[in-house]
Amino acid sequence: MKQLRIAICDDDNQDLLQITSLVEAYKEKNKTDITFISFNNATDLLESMSKPKNEYDLLLLDVLMTGFNGMQTAHEIREYNDKIEIVFLTSSPEYAVESYKVRANNYILKPATEEKLFPILDSLIERLKKPEESFVIKTKSCVFTIPFRKIEYVEINAKILYIYLADGKIREIGGSMTDFEASFLKRSDFIKVHRSYLVNMHCIHELRHKELVTTTGRLVPISRTAYSQVRTAYTKFLFEEADELAQKKGEN
Amino acid sequence: MLVTVIGIIRFGFSLLFGLVISVRFAGIEHTRKNRIAIGVIYAILLFTQYSFLWFFGLETTSKLYPFIIHIPIILIFSLYFKRPWLISFVSAISAYLCIQAPRWIGFLANDVFESTLADHISYMLSILLAYYLIEKYVAGSVRLLIEKSKKSTLLFGVIPLFYYIFDYITIIYPDIIYSDSKWVILFIPSIVSIFYFVFITLYYAEIQKQVDSQRERDMLDVQLRHAKSELATLRQLQECTTIYRHDMRHHISFLQGLASNCRFEDIKEYLKSVKSDIDAITPTRFCENETANLILSSFHSIAKQRNVLFSVDAKLPDIISLSDTEFCSLLSNSLENAINAAVTCSNSFVDIKLQIHKNKLLISTANPFFGEITMKNGIPQSSAKNHGFGTRSIVSIAKAHGGQTIFSIEKSIFYLKIMIPLDV
């Protein structure tokens, strides 16, 4: 996992000290690789962020600051930085709506405590962990990997796992659903549509009532009980996928 | 002798009645070919029936009746007329049930007048009456009912089936009905009462479902008509713009006149008013799609009037395979709801995003709201003011196209996502 870099900005030195000590405590407790830097005004923060070498993953930002306030600062940052995660530190929750506008991830009501800050850091670190790109298969004789994006779906049948690939090929290995399920389902793009089928939502061409069609035209049954859940998950996935695509286009 | 002849005619009569009624119940089409076929079948069955009567007598023939008449009818219906076997079966035994009332009237006449002739004649008269009533009031509904689904066929067929079984058991074992066993005598009444309740309950549920879906259709109809008129107004507005541009000549000559008189202040004033006029009627181009542009511009100005920050991210081609009225209804209902909700907030905005991804139309809106929103089955419930027609028509349009609507609330922002698969 790569290092988590945090910028903290608060014009109240007392508060700033408290936050930094919390982050320090988190670092100690979890033995995670965290670096942080603190600022007591927005101008310094913006100046630091304008330098390409100072790239931060997370910004803990006070809303009420004299001079340039937190919300203005966040707007400014969003002009050129889409990636940084912003968490507001505030004494009142009235900024919830505006924080949507600057795509803030969360806000912490002051005073910041372990209970409020740590879960946010946990989920952020979880997200920064790059999911494994490939499915690793260990057999007695060898170890081989298949990139997840090349897998359309997997089927388990009589203790054999069939991996249907996007190029039309099929790989087989022995095992049971419980052996493999977790490694697929911890990815957001795989979904269990049936007791013995896991599908890569990137590869769904059409979702029907009792089955789905993959991009290569294979049919996968959907269990009756899972259907409505699968449909909702797929619809949400489509929106996410479309947004991701649009973002990628924007970056290029 | 006369009584015997009339008795024989009576047999032919009830066979004809039973056959015609079961044909009507089974929904066999009224074509010339079918009429001839039924005529031939009737002749064959009649011949068989009389031969049995002649050779084996009345009692044996009655016992064998299911095998020489009913089973052949069911087989012919399903094999020759290609009706589903369940429908053939149920229509044959239901027709049998229809004969019971005339039979009872016959018995009654027999007892009252103490004459078999009275039995035969009142039987045949009541059969004629029964035919008239069934043809006029019953046959059509029965046909629709048993064709509707397997479930309703079974439901309908239960009483005739039990009656049929019961009746034949009593014919074969005539003593059973006169025995002291109460369970035998109470068998049919209990079956009837049980199924009476089951039938009424299910029938009510079915009717309710139909009423609901009719209401839904009516509502959607109103919405779509509304959308249509809205689109027409918008198109008209666009025409105004074109006319305005046409009038440019006049504006220019007027300005020329002012310029030659050096009335620069007037020129400025005039230009200002023309510009705002044109601004007001020029639809903004958000994307390639004309319908989307019309609706989005209209809501853009509504949002502006009501101080709602309106931002659009639209990437749609000029043609999408969704009818203009449906598309209009989707967009205007989403935006109307969003603006109405957002306007109550101090920091009000509405974001809308339109795109096509993997041949699916994706519409998403986000807006803040004030107060509480209660969700029921994932659909927000309206305040009584607008009755939630907008929301419901969005949901039903999406549903009709095999798509989906997702409503959600996250950190005081309301999100609507509509996904509609487009035809290839």
Side-chain angles (χ1 to χ4, degrees):
Chain A
M1 195 205 115
K2 64 171 191 166
Q3 199 180 45
L4 179 68
R5 293 150 306 179
I6 306 176
I8 306 165
C9 183
D10 197 323
D11 65 341
D12 184 330
N13 281 328
Q14 200 79 36
D15 286 353
L16 190 61
L17 206 64
Q18 196 205 359
I19 305 272
T20 47
S21 63
L22 278 174
V23 174
E24 188 71 53
Y26 182 85
K27 189 178 161 181
E28 280 303 306
K29 187 182 160 208
N30 296 288
K31 304 268 176 287
T32 39
D33 193 3
I34 294 178
T35 58
F36 61 89
I37 178 163
S38 40
F39 303 91
N40 64 4
N41 63 75
T43 325
D44 286 355
L45 169 75
L46 288 169
E47 199 195 315
S48 158
M49 285 189 65
S50 65
K51 289 170 189 148
K53 69 177 166 70
N54 293 335
E55 209 181 299
Y56 305 114
D57 302 303
L58 169 65
L59 170 61
L60 296 169
L61 183 60
D62 183 24
V63 178
L64 294 171
M65 290 191 289
T66 43
F68 218 48
N69 75 29
M71 210 47 83
Q72 290 167 314
T73 313
H75 273 289
E76 184 92 350
I77 290 167
R78 280 295 180 233
E79 292 287 310
Y80 58 90
N81 188 331
D82 243 355
K83 276 187 189 157
I84 190 165
E85 314 263 351
I86 302 176
V87 172
F88 284 114
L89 305 161
T90 166
S91 351
S92 75
E94 65 187 304
Y95 292 96
V97 167
E98 206 171 344
S99 63
Y100 160 87
K101 271 292 171 197
V102 292
R103 296 187 294 289
N105 295 72
N106 224 321
Y107 57 89
I108 294 174
L109 272 183
K110 280 183 178 180
T113 58
E114 278 189 20
E115 290 79 31
K116 292 176 193 162
L117 181 66
F118 285 14
I120 293 175
L121 290 176
D122 283 341
S123 75
L124 200 66
I125 285 170
E126 197 54 45
R127 239 180 308 156
L128 281 176
K129 272 187 201 162
K130 273 210 155 167
E132 319 237 343
E133 290 307 318
S134 295
F135 180 51
V136 184
I137 301 156
K138 296 182 187 94
T139 63
K140 272 175 197 154
S141 51
C142 65
V143 175
F144 63 96
T145 62
I146 303 172
F148 280 111
R149 66 188 158 78
K150 286 193 176 167
I151 300 175
E152 274 201 333
Y153 69 98
V154 295
E155 176 191 1
I156 195 100
N157 193 349
K159 295 274 169 203
I160 295 174
L161 184 77
Y162 298 88
I163 304 171
Y164 292 82
L165 302 176
D167 59 6
K169 287 184 190 135
I170 303 168
R171 302 293 288 261
E172 291 174 26
I173 41 164
S176 71
M177 191 54 121
T178 44
D179 300 343
F180 306 110
E181 202 175 81
S183 54
F184 285 103
L185 292 185
K186 81 174 173 214
R187 297 176 56 85
S188 60
D189 46 0
F190 273 82
I191 187 168
K192 193 171 184 176
V193 299
H194 185 279
R195 190 159 35 87
S196 34
Y197 292 90
L198 299 167
V199 176
N200 181 352
M201 287 194 275
H202 285 289
C203 299
I204 297 178
H205 175 66
E206 194 190 337
L207 195 68
R208 296 179 190 157
H209 206 77
K210 285 175 180 159
E211 61 191 12
L212 59 88
V213 188
T214 68
T215 16
T216 58
R218 291 163 173 148
L219 293 179
V220 180
I222 301 174
S223 79
R224 205 165 44 86
T225 45
Y227 175 71
S228 72
Q229 227 177 336
V230 169
R231 203 174 69 139
T232 305
Y234 182 57
T235 302
K236 282 186 182 158
F237 173 81
L238 279 172
F239 278 91
E240 280 162 24
E241 194 185 34
D243 285 349
E244 257 168 49
L245 264 176
Q247 239 173 45
K248 262 185 203 160
K249 264 186 202 159
E251 279 168 24
N252 288 338
Chain B
M1 182 60 196
L2 180 71
V3 175
T4 321
V5 171
I6 289 181
I8 288 172
I9 293 174
R10 171 189 170 145
F11 266 102
F13 219 70
S14 57
L15 178 64
L16 183 64
F17 173 78
L19 184 64
V20 171
I21 293 296
S22 36
V23 164
R24 296 284 292 123
F25 284 177
I28 289 164
E29 273 181 72
H30 229 307
T31 59
R32 204 177 116 81
K33 191 180 145 226
N34 284 351
R35 273 204 300 273
I36 294 171
I38 287 159
V40 172
I41 292 161
Y42 176 64
I44 296 170
L45 289 176
L46 193 66
F47 177 74
T48 322
Q49 182 182 307
Y50 285 142
S51 323
F52 270 75
L53 271 175
W54 183 261
F55 291 112
F56 304 108
L58 182 62
E59 202 176 316
T60 320
T61 309
S62 295
K63 281 181 187 169
L64 290 176
Y65 213 73
F67 300 99
I68 59 172
I69 305 293
H70 297 143
I71 292 175
I73 286 181
I74 294 167
L75 288 176
I76 290 164
F77 279 13
S78 62
L79 297 178
Y80 179 76
F81 291 112
K82 304 271 184 270
R83 299 300 295 155
W85 74 268
L86 188 66
I87 289 181
S88 315
F89 178 73
V90 168
S91 23
I93 58 172
S94 312
Y96 182 78
L97 190 72
C98 292
I99 297 182
Q100 295 318 303
R103 221 167 78 175
W104 181 81
I105 291 171
F107 284 142
L108 187 71
N110 193 9
D111 279 6
V112 172
F113 300 105
E114 289 179 356
S115 121
T116 322
L117 191 66
D119 177 359
H120 291 333
I121 288 171
S122 49
Y123 175 81
M124 284 192 281
L125 285 177
S126 50
I127 266 195
L128 283 177
L129 181 69
Y131 178 73
Y132 171 76
L133 293 175
I134 289 172
E135 184 63 51
K136 188 157 184 200
Y137 301 109
V138 184
S141 332
V142 168
R143 218 183 70 209
L144 290 178
L145 193 68
I146 63 178
E147 255 175 28
K148 201 167 174 207
S149 68
K150 244 187 185 142
K151 197 172 116 194
S152 67
T153 319
L154 283 170
L155 201 62
F156 176 78
V158 164
I159 296 279
L161 176 67
F162 275 106
Y163 186 81
Y164 187 85
I165 294 168
F166 184 77
D167 204 40
Y168 271 98
I169 289 174
T170 55
I171 284 176
I172 298 166
Y173 307 104
D175 295 341
I176 209 168
I177 198 89
Y178 306 111
S179 72
D180 278 342
S181 326
K182 279 211 176 95
W183 69 268
V184 177
I185 295 163
L186 289 177
F187 177 67
I188 277 295
S190 359
I191 291 287
V192 169
S193 38
I194 290 168
F195 275 90
Y196 170 75
F197 283 109
V198 173
F199 191 85
I200 291 291
T201 316
L202 292 175
Y203 182 74
Y204 179 74
E206 190 62 32
I207 291 285
Q208 201 53 42
K209 220 159 73 188
Q210 275 172 17
V211 168
D212 283 352
S213 72
Q214 182 62 41
R215 197 182 298 147
E216 193 99 321
R217 271 200 301 277
D218 288 349
M219 178 209 72
L220 202 60
D221 215 43
V222 171
Q223 288 275 322
L224 289 181
R225 247 181 295 148
H226 179 71
K228 215 174 211 165
S229 74
E230 204 160 313
L231 257 185
T233 325
L234 289 172
R235 289 231 165 83
Q236 212 173 359
L237 216 62
Q238 205 184 27
E239 218 143 272
C240 282
T241 325
T242 327
I243 293 167
Y244 218 105
R245 285 205 206 96
H246 259 278
D247 290 350
M248 207 51 99
R249 240 165 7 98
H250 307 301
H251 296 305
I252 288 171
S253 58
F254 182 70
L255 286 172
Q256 246 167 2
L258 290 178
S260 58
N261 291 330
C262 295
R263 289 159 61 185
F264 296 115
E265 275 313 305
D266 289 341
I267 292 178
K268 269 187 205 160
E269 200 53 40
Y270 187 74
L271 282 176
K272 214 165 111 189
S273 78
V274 170
K275 186 181 176 299
S276 65
D277 278 358
I278 291 181
D279 278 352
I281 55 173
T282 308
T284 323
R285 267 182 75 82
F286 293 98
C287 60
E288 310 254 293
N289 188 283
E290 183 240 3
T291 312
N293 284 337
L294 282 174
I295 299 159
L296 289 171
S297 343
S298 138
F299 277 95
H300 186 69
S301 50
I302 292 172
K304 217 188 218 168
Q305 279 163 25
R306 304 178 68 180
N307 281 327
V308 175
L309 191 65
F310 187 65
S311 42
V312 178
D313 177 1
K315 290 181 203 76
L316 292 184
D318 51 352
I319 295 166
I320 56 172
S321 62
L322 186 69
S323 78
D324 272 356
T325 43
E326 282 176 310
F327 188 40
C328 177
S329 176
L330 282 179
L331 278 186
S332 45
N333 281 318
S334 319
L335 288 172
E336 198 177 339
N337 287 348
I339 291 175
N340 281 340
V343 87
T344 55
C345 300
S346 55
N347 194 336
S348 63
F349 65 87
V350 168
D351 281 2
I352 180 161
K353 203 168 186 175
L354 303 168
Q355 55 190 329
I356 290 179
H357 175 59
K358 287 189 168 170
N359 207 32
K360 288 164 189 85
L361 173 65
L362 304 180
I363 302 173
S364 51
T365 65
N367 59 273
F369 61 95
F370 182 75
E372 290 277 311
I373 293 182
T374 35
M375 300 274 242
K376 199 174 154 194
N377 298 326
I379 297 170
Q381 299 302 297
S382 73
S383 52
K385 206 172 68 192
N386 51 14
H387 305 287
F389 278 153
T391 309
R392 269 157 60 195
S393 79
I394 293 170
V395 172
S396 57
I397 291 172
K399 206 170 151 193
H401 288 270
Q404 202 188 3
T405 341
I406 299 176
F407 302 91
S408 58
I409 295 166
E410 233 174 89
K411 292 183 208 142
S412 354
I413 307 288
F414 182 83
Y415 295 89
L416 162 64
K417 289 185 166 66
I418 308 170
M419 183 277 288
I420 295 194
L422 299 171
D423 303 331
V424 186

